[in-house]
Amino acid sequence: MNFKSRGDQQSYKNAISQKWTLFLCLACFCSGMLLANWTWNVPEPKGINRTTTVEAEKLKLVSEGCGDEIKEVKRDSKDIIGEVYKTHNAIQTLDKTISNLEMELAAARAAQESILSGSPLSDDLKRTGSSGKRRYLMVIGINTAFSSRKRRDSVRATWMPQGEKRKKLEEEKGIIVRFVIGHSATSGGILDRAIEAEDKKHGDFLRLDHVEGYLELSAKTKIYFATAVTLWDADFYVKVDDDVHVNIATLGETLVRHRKKPRVYIGCMKSGPVLNQKGVRYHEPEYWKFGEAGNKYFRHATGQLYAISKDLAKYISINQHVLHKFANEDVSLGSWFIGLDAEHIDDRRLCCGTPPDCEWKAQAGNICVASFDWSCSGICRSADRIKEVHRRCGEGENALWSATF
């Protein structure tokens, strides 16, 4: 009896334990669900709104608008750079114009000083003072001396047009050709009168305010460029010796290629030795300025023929009183440009040899601008031989009149 009641009591306790276990499991499950639901529905912070579809579209439009604004900013930047570039070009043009005016004023003052000093005026200067200037392609100055009458006549008989043809050359082609000479130490003497008579016959001289002399070639060259740029407004100014053969049309075609360049120095560039021995030809008294014995000169155009642009000729005119003169005129000219922003152009057609050299080149279609003998620094016995050089190496008269510059 007692054993039975004990068994029933034990069964009753087991049943209660199972019920509580089930109840606790359900309670834990419900608590877990509540806790999970609270975690998933965390309230959003104040001030932060969720983006709706409409707002997303608005943001897209705004961002596209910003892109357009960025493009506009880029365009504005390009426009600003373009304006700056235009302004820079305008300033450069203005500077060049002012520089040209200053050079012309200085050249006019130099001419006025020449007049006031009582120096005789050439017919060209008188005409320039009474009429407006026209633009020319080039001025060719043929360096000559009192004793070179035969050379001048041989040049007139070959490559230099005479009479009406020379006037036609000036008017139609814009090319001035003159023999360049100064005055004797005895002004108005027999030498000067001989030149005046020759000029009256041919009218092809440019007289300089300069006393002639071989050791004064640097001064003569400087005065020539200063005078020529005052008389004629040209793109180029050429100096050539009277014992050199020149093809004028080929020279013009060569120079035209460099017409748009502001400061051009054209010739056969060389760099010969500095000769310090006294008594030798081309002796350089100031040899010590070029360094140690045996040194060479800086690059410069050989003196038989060279050309410079208008800006460089005006530079010489303005600064002629302070430009240093070395013993050799080609060295002096090169020294005047060595510190400038000038372009040196080495063209070997400006220093061909006499036949057969220039003849072979002409037959090959490469006509020379100038021909001479290096051994004589010009055509050897030019008064006798220049006609032969002209016949074999000349470009032909038709080449000049058919040329367009």
Side-chain angles (χ1 to χ4, degrees), residues 42-49:
V42 177
E44 294 181 354
K46 293 181 179 181
I48 299 178
N49 297 321

Side-chain angles (χ1 to χ4, degrees), residues 4-66:
K4 185 177 180 181
S5 59
R6 288 179 180 175
D8 293 339
Q9 191 175 5
Q10 186 70 29
S11 298
Y12 176 74
K13 289 181 178 179
N14 291 337
I16 292 172
S17 299
Q18 290 176 357
K19 290 178 180 179
W20 277 105
T21 301
L22 182 61
F23 175 75
L24 289 174
C25 287
L26 289 171
C28 289
F29 177 76
C30 291
S31 299
M33 290 295 290
L34 289 171
L35 182 62
N37 186 48
W38 178 81
T39 304
W40 293 340
N41 292 282
V42 177
E44 294 181 354
K46 293 181 179 181
I48 299 178
N49 297 321
R50 294 198 172 194
T51 304
T52 64
T53 304
V54 176
E55 290 172 337
E57 290 297 327
K58 290 181 179 179
L59 287 173
K60 183 178 179 182
L61 291 173
V62 171
S63 65
E64 290 177 354
C66 289

Side-chain angles (χ1 to χ4, degrees), residues 2 7 13 37 140 145 162 201 240 252 315 317 331 362 378 391:
N2 293 333
K13 289 181 178 179
N37 186 48
I140 303 175
Q162 292 297 295
K201 179 180 179 180
V240 60
Y315 171 80
S317 176
V331 173
R391 179 179 62 83

Side-chain angles (χ1 to χ4, degrees), residues 66-76:
C66 289
D68 293 337
E69 290 179 1
I70 292 170
K71 291 178 182 177
E72 284 297 325
V73 170
K74 290 181 179 178
R75 289 195 198 100
D76 290 343

